[in-house]
Amino acid sequence: MRMTDLIEKKRDGGELTTAEIRWMIEGYTKGDIPDYQMSAMCMAIYFRDMTERETYDLTMAMLDSGDRIDLSGVEGVKADKHSTGGVGDKTSLLLCPMLAACGVKMAKLSGRGLGHTGGTIDKLESFAGFSTSMSMETFLRSVNENGFAIAGQTGQLVPADKKLYALRDVTGTVPSMPLIVGSILSKKFAAGADIIVLDVKCGSGAFMQTEEDAFGLARLLVEVGRHAGKKVVAVVTDMDEPLGNAVGNALEVKEALAALKGEYAGDLLELCMTLGGEILLSGGIAPDEASARAMLQEAIDSGAALSRFERFVAAQGGDPAAVRDTSLLPRAPVVIEASSRRAGYVRHIDAHGVGIVSMHLGGGRATKEDDIDLSVGVVLKKKVGDHVALGESLGTIHAASEEAAGEAVMLLRGCFELTEEPVHRAPFIKGVVR
Ligand code: URA
């Protein structure tokens, strides 16, 4: 086979065979196919698309490029969750303990963040001593004993995605549906769970900007999952503003803990109720949606989810006292309010822009080697639909210096779009594809 022929075939709208896709992914992973040829292929796929069968073959070829985690030693319903990416997304910190308290097992692999804010691992390192590097044996034992554990991703899991994602990132080919499906599902299949819920973001801050595209991606994810014998559910959610109110590592941990303590109600909790409900239904743990929600609410009200989180932090070497007393988490020396220069109703909050504010404060990384400041970030005081009076705070800035705080105030103001007319807030959950 020759890569040139495959590129031309796809460029002209042809359908690649199973053997061709496998040969291409194997060759690219091994380094036999150079980046420039794979870039051309990604662009051809971006414009010409792939059929469902090609997308399935791509996913399975990527899955076979590396190791898989064997969860056969974990008892019970094994679930996993993934989000197509969001600013302020601390869902796993809340969802894992809530589900663990309902009897679900989650063996979660997470990464560090590159860009606006930290990833789940960075956020968890807000607990002094917390570690995500452990042997596979310890990881699986923790999952069995406490219901969930979160480990760093290993190098051997889907190496094809590591190379391909880095290439797509610099060639304008990230927002291609078959490439997104291959990337997400190969990683989820390699992680071994039977039930996978996916949060597909839709809106100005997401890969999929229209509802039509977001539902198209959701359907493709579910179909390819079904083909592979997995239960995949995709929830399409709005991303016209950051998720929850906090953006920044320790600040997000604090918000997740507030939710686990029953002190928070908003889009973040609604998302966890929906994603968690789908897992309880798919796993046969709850008979219907109402009972699933009741079980998840009880996990919070009884304190069971919070206890699970406390045990999880202790099991991975972190200071569990900070779970109950959040003043022990990293705290920024400068805390100021970003007052509004106008009055009006919030029509839109640029989620990406808020992420950039947090990054400027030192909460995100520009390169993999950068250190991040866990204490800094933004806590929004206003969300879409809220009224803002002149001089009222749009959000609280947590910064390392007065100077950084002053710049962040200006940047945050620029993220808010205000209007004189009252704003009707669109439903946060746009739909579920099962
Ligand atoms: N998330 C992923 O893991 N891969 C993509 O391609 C897009 C979002």
Side-chain angles (χ1 to χ4, degrees):
M1 265 184 236
R2 291 190 332 152
M3 188 61 179
T4 336
D5 298 332
L6 304 197
I7 295 169
E8 287 173 4
K9 186 174 180 183
K10 188 40 84 184
R11 180 199 66 195
D12 297 338
E15 188 173 337
L16 301 175
T17 65
T18 306
E20 285 168 341
I21 292 173
R22 293 198 83 82
W23 176 84
M24 173 176 83
I25 294 299
E26 231 180 273
Y28 182 59
T29 310
K30 277 197 290 186
D32 296 345
I33 294 171
D35 278 348
Y36 57 83
Q37 284 192 312
M38 201 62 202
S39 308
M41 176 57 86
C42 288
M43 193 55 87
I45 293 171
Y46 177 88
F47 280 112
R48 289 297 195 169
D49 210 355
M50 278 180 141
T51 62
E52 204 176 294
R53 198 269 311 148
E54 285 177 293
T55 309
Y56 170 79
D57 285 339
L58 174 72
T59 307
M60 300 316 272
M62 288 174 72
L63 170 65
D64 290 341
S65 72
D67 298 339
R68 300 179 195 207
I69 295 193
D70 177 7
L71 292 186
S72 57
V74 174
E75 299 134 27
V77 171
K78 290 160 262 190
D80 202 350
K81 125 1 98 174
H82 186 83
S83 153
T84 58
V87 173
D89 195 345
K90 66 289 282 175
T91 314
S92 295
L93 302 183
L94 188 52
L95 185 62
C96 291
M98 283 166 73
L99 282 168
C102 297
V104 176
K105 301 285 169 54
M106 311 248 316
K108 205 121 184 56
L109 297 175
S110 281
R112 291 186 188 279
L114 188 60
H116 342 304
T117 54
T120 301
I121 294 182
D122 298 303
K123 292 170 196 175
L124 284 166
E125 285 176 354
S126 300
F127 294 98
F130 189 92
S131 165
T132 49
S133 32
M134 64 193 99
S135 68
M136 189 49 69
E137 202 185 339
T138 309
F139 178 54
L140 298 180
R141 186 165 6 95
S142 281
V143 175
N144 262 328
E145 285 173 7
N146 192 37
F148 77 105
I150 300 182
Q153 265 157 25
T154 72
Q156 285 68 252
L157 236 51
V158 198
D161 183 60
K162 283 213 170 61
K163 280 192 82 173
L164 253 180
Y165 197 89
L167 189 71
R168 288 166 56 210
D169 212 18
V170 293
T171 55
T173 50
V174 169
S176 151
M177 284 197 205
L179 296 179
I180 293 177
V181 170
S183 165
I184 293 179
L185 289 186
S186 60
K187 284 180 291 200
K188 291 292 116 179
F189 293 170
D194 306 315
I195 300 172
I196 299 161
V197 293
L198 302 166
D199 174 12
V200 177
K201 305 282 187 195
C202 165
S204 58
F207 296 129
M208 297 296 135
Q209 308 216 332
T210 65
E211 278 195 37
E212 193 188 342
D213 282 351
F215 276 100
L217 176 62
R219 276 190 290 272
L220 190 59
L221 285 160
V222 170
E223 270 311 304
V224 171
R226 195 179 53 83
H227 217 100
K230 300 277 185 183
K231 285 186 188 166
V232 176
V233 181
V235 178
V236 177
T237 63
D238 180 71
M239 209 188 127
D240 268 340
E241 60 181 341
L243 183 62
N245 293 66
V247 179
N249 299 283
L251 296 169
E252 292 188 38
V253 168
K254 222 172 141 182
E255 184 167 67
L257 287 172
L260 284 173
K261 291 170 187 171
E263 296 160 4
Y264 169 95
D267 52 6
L268 171 66
L269 189 62
E270 177 54 23
L271 179 60
C272 290
M273 286 288 182
T274 308
L275 297 175
E278 290 299 327
I279 290 178
L280 294 181
L281 280 177
S282 294
I285 294 177
D288 53 51
E289 216 175 301
S291 334
R293 280 181 171 256
M295 284 177 79
L296 292 163
Q297 190 60 52
E298 178 58 18
I300 292 178
D301 295 346
S302 65
L306 188 68
S307 303
R308 292 278 173 167
F309 194 83
E310 208 167 13
R311 274 160 52 186
F312 151 74
V313 171
Q316 297 197 203
D319 174 12
V323 172
R324 309 259 167 195
D325 178 4
T326 55
S327 70
L328 298 172
L329 293 170
R331 281 198 290 177
V334 178
V335 179
I336 61 168
E337 299 300 325
S339 61
S340 178
R341 293 212 162 135
R342 287 183 51 201
Y345 294 90
V346 181
R347 178 155 55 197
H348 172 71
I349 305 172
D350 175 9
H352 182 75
V354 179
I356 299 291
V357 178
S358 174
M359 188 162 146
H360 271 288
L361 287 165
R365 287 187 186 83
T367 72
K368 273 193 289 190
E369 288 71 33
D370 286 353
D371 278 335
I372 57 176
D373 184 341
L374 296 170
S375 69
V376 299
V378 179
V379 179
L380 300 175
K381 286 275 186 73
K382 299 288 177 184
K383 297 268 286 181
V384 170
D386 289 347
H387 183 262
V388 186
L390 178 69
E392 208 181 350
S393 174
L394 297 169
T396 311
I397 307 287
H398 296 249
S401 68
E402 298 281 350
E403 194 191 343
E407 275 171 35
V409 167
M410 311 280 276
L411 288 171
L412 187 66
R413 283 185 187 134
C415 297
F416 276 76
E417 197 186 314
L418 301 183
T419 168
E420 285 173 10
E421 301 300 316
V423 173
H424 170 70
R425 204 167 187 275
F428 171 66
I429 308 282
K430 302 219 171 272
V432 178
V433 180
R434 296 187 179 92

